[in-house]
Amino acid sequence: MSEARIQPAIPRISLTWLLVAQALVIVPHLGHLPLWVIGLWLGCAGWRVQIFRMRVGYPTRLAKAGLMLAAAAGVFASRGSLVGLDAGVVLLIAAFALKLVELRSQRDALVLILLGFFCVVTAYLFDDSLLAAAYSLLPVSALLAALIGLQQSRLAMRPWPTLRLALGLLAQALPLMLLLFVFFPRLGPLWALPNPNNQALSGLSDSMTPADIAELSKSDELVFTATFNGAPPARTQLYWRALTLEHFDGRRWSQAPLVSRQDAPQWLPSGKPWEYSVIAQASGRNWLFALDVARSEEGGVQARRDFSLQYQRPIDQPLRYQVRSWPDVLRDANLPLSSLADSLQLPAEGDPRSRAWARELQARHPQPDALVQALLEHFNREPYHYTLKPPPVGINSIDEFLFRTRRGFCAHYAGAMTFVLRAAGIPARVVAGYQGGELNPRGNFFTVRQFDAHAWVEYWQAGQGWTSVDPTFAVAPERIEQGLEQALSGEQSFLADSPLSPLRYRQVAWLNQLRLGWDDLNHGWQRWVLGYQGAQQLQLLQRWFGRMDGQLLGTALVGGGGLLLGLLALFLFKPWRRERDPLLRQFRRFERLLARHGLPRQAAEGPRAYAERAARQLPTQAEAIRAFAQAFEAQQYGAATLDSQDLVRRLRELRRGLPWRLRLIAR
C-alpha cells in the first residue's frame, strides 16, 4: 500500500478554503505576473475540482515533470531568466499553482498551506503599503481556515465557524506580534534584492530633456513626504534638490563626472536651519531629496560635491531620513576657475542666435547678477508661455525656443537660461528636483508627487558662490506660489491622462477630505511601521527605559514574551475554573471534547442520556463513549473504588479514535 493511501484524505472544506486562499494569495501579484500564470492556476484549480469529483485522475509523473518544465520555460521566456527577484516570484507562484493538482494527502495540503504563507510574504517585496498589509490578512485567514479544515472535526466541516476560529487564532497572535515588532532587534537584510525587472524606475532620471519633465508632470505618483519640526518654510522656498545636471549635448542635460566624486562641498552652516524628516518612496535610484543646503547624520547618507544628498544604495523600499537645511549660506565662494569647466561646457556648434545674444547681453551687463536680472526681465516682458504642450523644435532647440516658439515647460526655461549664461562666460548648471508640495493639514506634512517635478538654475560668481534662480517664476509665478494645477488652469491639461485621480477633484470638499485622511493614514504607516528601523527603535526604547544595550533588550524581549504567553495560557486554560473533584474534572473534559465535535451537553441532560446521544451521533466511537460514561457513573454514584486515572485512560482512548486527533487534553 502506498504512503499516499495511508495518509488521511483532504476534507472537502479544507480543499474549498485552499482554493479560496490561493486566489487571495495571487491577487496582489497580478500587476507583475504574466497572463499565462493566471491561466495555469485556473487550469490547475479546475483539474483539482474534477479530481475531487472523481471525474479525472491525478497527473502521472511524466505529466508533472512536463508541467514543471513548461512552467520554467514560461518564466524564462517572459522574464529572460530563472533567477532574480521577479523571475523567482513568478516561478514560486507557478509552483504554488501546480502543487494543487498533486494533492493526495493531508501532508501534501500542509505543504501547500505553508507555501501559501511564503507567497503572502513575497507580495511585500512589491507593495508594502497600508492597503497591502490590510489585504494580506485575508489570504492568511483563509490559509488558517484551510489548516483547521484538515482536522476533519465537525467544526471544520462548517465553513463559517472554521473561519471564525481562524480569525480568533490570528487575534490571539496579535499581542506577541506587536511585542516582537517593538523589541526584536531590527536586523539589516542578509542579502540584497535587485529591483524587479518589470518595474520601471520611477521619477527623475540622471539625464533630462524638457519632454522628460513634462511627462513626469502627468503623473500623480507619490515621490516623498516631508514633516517639519516647527513652522514650515513658505511654498516659494520649497525647492527640493535631487541632482545637478551640468553636461549639455545640444538636446539633453546630464550629470558631469564631477558629481561622482565624494569631495565635501565648501560651505559653513549659519543661521537657524530647517529641521525635517523625509520619507522617500522606492525609486530604484540612490539620490535623496532635500532643501538647500542640506546635511544629514543618518547612516548611509552622503553629501555630494554639488550639494545634493545620496544614499549608499538604490532605494528599493520606503526610506526615512532626518535632514537639516541652512537656506542662507555661501556655497563654494572661492573656487578656482579650473574646477568650473563642467559648468561652462557647451557643444562645439549649434544654436548660433543664442550664442550671439549671450555676447550682446554680456557687453551690456558685465556683472553676472545684472545679466541674470536682464534674462529674467526678458522672460517676463516678452510673450513667453508656460505649457505642457509646447510645439516641437528642431536641431537648434535653444534658438527655436527662445526666438520662435516661446512656449515651454520649466525644463525649457532652465535649459535655455543655463545655455545663455554659459555662452556669456558665467558658470551655470541645471538643478532637477521638485518644487512645492501639498500641505496635509491632518498630519501637518507635505506630500510631493511626480507632477511637482521642476528644474531651475544655479550660477556662480566669485566671492558669492552659487546662487539659485528660477526663470519659471518670471513666466508663470502661479506655478511656484500655488502649484501646477493653477498654472495650467487655462489649458486644462493638469492630470489630463488620469481622469480618475482624486487630485483632479480637490474642489469637492468631502472627497478631498477623504483623500487627505487616507494620505494621513498612509503617512503614519510609513513613518511608524515601515520607518521603524534600528535608529528609530533605539530612540524609542531609550525614551522608555533610559540607557539601552543588547543585554537589556534581550531581557525585555524574553520577559515580555513570557508574560504575554503566560497571560494567554491563563486566558485559554482558565485554571480558576478547574473542577476540584477529580471525577467531575474528567467528565468536564469529556464534555468539552464532544462539544468540539459539535455535541455540546444540553441543559439538564444527565451523563447517561448525554452519552447515548453522542453514541448515536458518533457510531464508530459509540463503544468508547458508553464505556467512559458507565465507568464515571460507577465511580460517582456506585460503590466502585474511585480511580480517576481509569477515566483518564478511557478518555484518552476516546480522543485518539475521534477524527480530530487533539494533541492536548481538553481542559
Side-chain angles (χ1 to χ4, degrees):
M1 183 176 294
S2 66
E3 185 179 2
R5 294 180 181 177
I6 296 175
Q7 294 288 332
I10 302 172
R12 178 175 181 175
I13 186 62
S14 182
L15 181 60
T16 301
W17 279 117
L18 270 175
L19 292 173
V20 172
Q22 276 201 321
L24 293 174
V25 167
I26 293 175
V27 165
H29 294 277
L30 292 178
H32 54 268
L33 285 180
L35 292 178
W36 65 264
V37 177
I38 311 302
L40 176 67
W41 178 78
L42 292 174
C44 291
W47 193 346
R48 176 71 250 183
V49 171
Q50 293 303 314
I51 290 175
F52 185 82
R53 299 175 66 185
M54 306 179 71
R55 294 189 176 183
V56 298
Y58 289 96
T60 63
R61 291 185 178 180
L62 183 61
K64 289 189 289 186
L67 287 171
M68 197 62 205
L69 288 175
V75 174
F76 187 83
S78 58
R79 294 297 182 262
S81 174
L82 292 179
V83 296
L85 174 60
D86 193 32
V89 170
V90 175
L91 191 61
L92 178 66
I93 298 297
F96 185 50
L98 289 174
K99 183 64 179 177
L100 193 62
V101 299
E102 68 165 1
L103 295 182
R104 292 176 179 267
S105 64
Q106 290 187 6
R107 186 179 64 181
D108 293 332
L110 182 61
V111 171
L112 184 62
I113 291 171
L114 296 178
L115 186 61
F117 285 120
F118 191 75
C119 291
V120 171
V121 174
T122 61
Y124 285 102
L125 299 174
F126 299 87
D127 185 5
D128 53 9
S129 65
L130 174 61
L131 185 61
Y135 175 84
S136 66
L137 296 177
L138 295 179
V140 168
S141 300
L143 289 167
L144 287 175
L147 186 61
I148 295 171
L150 286 177
Q151 309 308 316
Q152 301 186 25
S153 67
R154 287 185 176 272
L155 170 67
M157 293 175 63
R158 295 176 292 170
W160 300 120
T162 303
L163 180 60
R164 284 197 297 270
L165 180 57
L167 294 175
L169 292 174
L170 199 60
Q172 291 172 18
L174 184 62
L176 185 59
M177 179 193 71
L178 292 176
L179 177 76
L180 292 174
F181 175 79
V182 173
F183 289 99
F184 196 82
R186 318 303 289 180
L187 301 177
L190 300 180
W191 60 85
L193 292 174
N195 194 62
N197 293 333
N198 70 329
Q199 285 190 331
L201 298 175
S202 60
L204 295 170
S205 174
D206 54 5
S207 63
M208 178 197 76
T209 65
D212 295 334
I213 296 288
E215 192 65 28
L216 286 178
S217 297
K218 299 177 183 179
S219 170
D220 62 354
E221 180 184 359
L222 179 65
V223 181
F224 64 92
T225 58
T227 305
F228 284 86
N229 299 336
R235 181 185 176 88
T236 55
Q237 295 176 292
L238 295 178
Y239 282 84
W240 306 95
R241 179 191 289 266
L243 66 160
T244 306
L245 307 175
E246 293 188 298
H247 181 75
F248 184 58
D249 62 4
R251 302 290 295 184
R252 178 176 292 273
W253 291 91
S254 58
Q255 287 185 302
L258 170 67
V259 178
S260 63
R261 299 203 299 266
Q262 300 302 319
D263 302 335
Q266 298 179 16
W267 66 282
L268 292 175
S270 63
K272 184 178 181 181
W274 294 318
E275 297 184 2
Y276 54 99
S277 63
V278 177
I279 301 178
Q281 301 301 302
S283 62
R285 312 290 187 178
N286 65 340
W287 51 69
L288 303 176
F289 313 100
L291 304 174
D292 283 332
V293 173
R295 175 179 292 176
S296 176
E297 304 299 332
E298 299 280 352
V301 178
Q302 298 175 330
R304 298 198 290 184
R305 186 67 180 84
D306 62 345
F307 303 99
S308 61
L309 299 179
Q310 73 171 6
Y311 198 51
Q312 61 186 355
R313 62 176 181 270
I315 302 172
D316 52 14
Q317 60 182 355
L319 174 68
R320 183 184 178 191
Y321 54 97
Q322 299 284 338
V323 188
R324 288 186 295 170
S325 293
W326 286 264
D328 301 317
V329 295
L330 291 178
R331 297 178 290 159
D332 287 339
N334 299 307
L335 286 179
L337 291 178
S338 59
S339 65
L340 296 169
D342 289 330
S343 299
L344 289 169
Q345 174 270 333
L346 285 176
E349 299 179 351
D351 301 297
R353 293 187 63 185
S354 298
R355 295 174 191 259
W357 185 46
R359 290 191 293 269
E360 293 177 8
L361 289 174
Q362 184 184 22
R364 294 200 304 266
H365 308 283
Q367 295 300 320
D369 287 339
L371 195 150
V372 168
Q373 188 61 35
L375 275 174
L376 296 177
E377 291 177 358
H378 173 80
F379 285 134
N380 180 261
R381 183 178 61 252
E382 299 297 325
Y384 287 93
H385 300 279
Y386 183 84
T387 177
L388 278 178
K389 302 175 181 178
V393 294
I395 297 177
N396 295 315
S397 58
I398 303 296
D399 280 357
E400 295 201 26
F401 167 69
L402 286 176
F403 304 109
R404 184 177 65 86
T405 66
R406 297 191 175 189
R407 302 176 66 86
F409 199 54
C410 61
H412 291 86
Y413 294 99
M417 184 173 187
T418 302
F419 185 96
V420 172
L421 289 176
R422 290 185 176 187
I426 301 174
R429 58 195 185 187
V430 175
V431 182
Y434 297 85
Q435 197 283 323
E438 180 184 31
L439 178 63
N440 189 308
R442 293 180 174 233
N444 196 32
F445 61 92
F446 282 92
T447 300
V448 180
R449 302 181 182 275
Q450 293 293 4
F451 59 70
D452 293 312
H454 195 59
W456 60 98
V457 179
E458 283 183 341
Y459 68 97
W460 184 89
Q461 53 186 326
Q464 298 185 29
W466 293 102
T467 303
S468 297
V469 61
D470 189 357
T472 301
F473 186 81
V475 179
E478 62 275 10
R479 163 63 184 91
I480 310 304
E481 295 174 341
Q482 301 177 55
L484 183 67
E485 184 176 9
Q486 285 70 25
L488 299 175
S489 58
E491 64 181 39
Q492 301 294 319
S493 59
F494 178 70
L495 297 179
D497 297 337
S498 304
L500 299 181
S501 172
L503 289 162
R504 296 192 61 185
Y505 308 101
R506 284 186 279 198
Q507 70 279 7
V508 182
W510 67 270
L511 184 60
N512 194 51
Q513 289 300 316
L514 286 178
R515 179 184 64 82
L516 292 174
W518 177 248
D519 287 346
D520 188 27
L521 284 176
N522 273 293
H523 180 256
W525 168 261
Q526 293 193 334
R527 184 176 184 182
W528 301 113
V529 180
L530 300 182
Y532 187 68
Q533 300 302 325
Q536 289 74 20
Q537 182 187 47
L538 184 61
Q539 292 175 4
L540 177 65
L541 297 181
Q542 287 178 343
R543 189 161 57 246
W544 286 356
F545 305 107
R547 181 178 175 272
M548 177 62 62
D549 53 23
Q551 182 178 1
L552 183 58
L553 181 60
T555 302
L557 182 62
V558 173
L563 178 61
L564 276 179
L565 291 176
L567 293 175
L568 183 60
L570 289 175
F571 174 76
L572 291 177
F573 298 115
K574 301 178 178 64
W576 58 87
R577 294 186 181 179
R578 295 186 63 179
E579 184 63 55
R580 294 184 178 181
D581 188 327
L583 299 181
L584 289 178
R585 185 186 310 144
Q586 299 307 319
F587 188 78
R588 296 288 181 264
R589 292 178 177 177
F590 174 73
E591 289 182 11
R592 285 193 287 272
L593 179 61
L594 295 181
R596 293 188 180 186
H597 294 272
L599 292 169
R601 184 182 177 189
Q602 298 177 359
E605 187 175 26
R608 181 177 299 178
Y610 179 43
E612 287 298 325
R613 181 167 63 87
R616 290 193 298 271
Q617 294 291 328
L618 298 171
T620 58
Q621 302 302 320
E623 183 178 351
I625 293 173
R626 292 191 179 102
F628 177 88
Q630 291 170 3
F632 172 75
E633 287 184 343
Q635 296 189 45
Q636 182 72 10
Y637 305 113
T641 303
L642 296 180
D643 186 4
S644 62
Q645 292 303 313
D646 178 59
L647 294 181
V648 171
R649 288 191 297 270
R650 293 179 184 276
L651 185 62
R652 186 181 298 118
E653 292 174 0
L654 171 61
R655 187 180 68 254
R656 288 175 177 174
L658 288 170
W660 188 1
R661 299 183 178 183
L662 296 175
R663 297 302 182 190
L664 295 175
I665 297 177
R667 296 183 183 272

